[in-house]
Amino acid sequence: RCYEEGRQIMATSGTATFNLEIAEVIEEAFERCGMQSRTGYDIETARRSLNLLSLEWANRGLNFWCVEEGTASTVAGTSTVTLPADTVDLIEYFIRDGTGTSQNDLPLSRFSVSQYATIPNKKTEGRPVNIFIDKQRAAPVAYLWPTPDKVYTFGYQRIRRIEDTGSVGSTNPDVPARFLPALVSGLAFRISQKYPEAFPRSMELKQEYEFQWDLAQQEDRDRASVHFVPGGY
């Protein structure tokens, strides 16, 4: 114990490592529904809801902890690059020409489906300046235009999927600790929709979920300065 100007100050833990295992997330969510997970099916249905919740979060916006950098080598005369199967979307992309201190990273402009479709000659070769991303079910495919005339390094920043829940053991969910309140609240809401005894709490749990999501999402943002230039891109 410490004392300061006559006040008793309690010592703190000195750590900031709190996290929840998946089993604890499920347990906390059931308790918020006024229930306990007692059967194997309770665990299984909660795991399924957690996986669906992670897919929902991918649709809600940019999750910065899921942003990863990647590169791929282009093939001369081939316009397509298949991206990793767990890619949700690309947020930045460039073509790297040269090596070492003489290399240059040249940004690409993104085409929409209609813009890419209206290119008269998609076989034109040269240094790519545009990209179209075809979001296929198996894996997204990047179309570069002009078609690379030699080997370049195609670099990108991608949003990957949140990892699956997996088995309920000593594993942690693939989210930062600051998102745990939103994760637990979201799971509690989904559980309340499945069990008749918890359904009366459903709207209350949904409101808490949206509140916790907004809190976490507002802090999960890029804090760099943004400048808008009239007439620019």
Side-chain angles (χ1 to χ4, degrees):
R1 297 180 179 179
C2 305
Y3 293 85
E4 178 181 313
E5 296 181 358
R7 293 191 300 114
Q8 180 176 310
I9 308 298
M10 301 300 294
T12 62
S13 67
T15 62
T17 58
F18 174 78
N19 204 342
L20 290 177
E21 295 178 358
I22 291 173
E24 294 174 310
V25 171
I26 293 174
E27 181 180 2
E28 176 71 14
F30 268 97
E31 289 176 352
R32 294 191 183 192
C33 292
M35 303 167 55
Q36 288 184 327
S37 56
R38 298 183 181 277
T39 68
Y41 178 76
D42 289 339
I43 302 299
E44 183 61 29
T45 190
R47 286 180 61 251
R48 185 166 62 247
S49 291
L50 273 176
N51 284 326
L52 289 171
L53 193 63
S54 70
L55 297 178
E56 176 197 324
W57 284 14
N59 293 328
R60 279 181 174 250
L62 175 59
N63 301 317
F64 276 99
W65 74 91
C66 292
V67 174
E68 294 181 346
E69 184 176 356
T71 59
S73 295
T74 64
V75 177
T78 301
S79 63
T80 58
V81 176
T82 300
L83 300 169
D86 64 342
T87 301
V88 176
D89 202 353
L90 301 187
I91 55 176
E92 299 289 346
Y93 14 78
F94 61 86
I95 287 293
R96 177 174 295 161
D97 196 8
T99 58
T101 57
S102 62
Q103 74 179 25
N104 291 303
D105 290 346
L106 306 167
L108 299 170
S109 296
R110 187 162 177 168
F111 272 159
S112 66
V113 176
S114 58
Q115 287 175 317
Y116 184 75
T118 56
I119 295 175
N121 186 354
K122 297 178 178 60
K123 296 296 184 180
T124 300
E125 294 191 6
R127 177 180 63 80
V129 295
N130 296 104
I131 182 174
F132 160 60
I133 301 172
D134 186 10
K135 296 183 180 181
Q136 293 294 314
R137 181 178 61 84
V141 178
Y143 286 79
L144 303 176
W145 188 84
T147 296
D149 58 342
K150 63 177 184 178
V151 175
Y152 296 94
T153 296
F154 168 53
Y156 54 84
Q157 295 279 348
R158 75 184 185 106
I159 308 172
R160 63 165 175 82
R161 280 178 50 174
I162 298 174
E163 293 179 6
D164 298 339
T165 300
S167 60
V168 178
S170 58
T171 55
N172 303 110
D174 181 28
V175 300
R178 65 182 181 278
F179 271 82
L180 287 175
L183 185 69
V184 171
S185 298
L187 179 58
F189 166 60
R190 287 184 175 272
I191 289 174
S192 72
Q193 293 182 302
K194 295 182 174 184
Y195 291 82
E197 58 268 41
F199 189 75
R201 301 191 182 194
S202 184
M203 290 306 300
E204 176 186 348
L205 292 170
K206 177 176 174 58
Q207 291 173 356
E208 176 65 15
Y209 168 43
E210 295 297 343
F211 173 72
Q212 293 296 340
W213 169 262
D214 288 342
L215 282 181
Q217 188 69 3
Q218 287 169 12
E219 289 303 310
D220 195 48
R221 65 184 189 274
D222 193 339
R223 299 179 186 274
S225 299
V226 178
H227 301 277
F228 296 94
V229 179
Y233 291 92

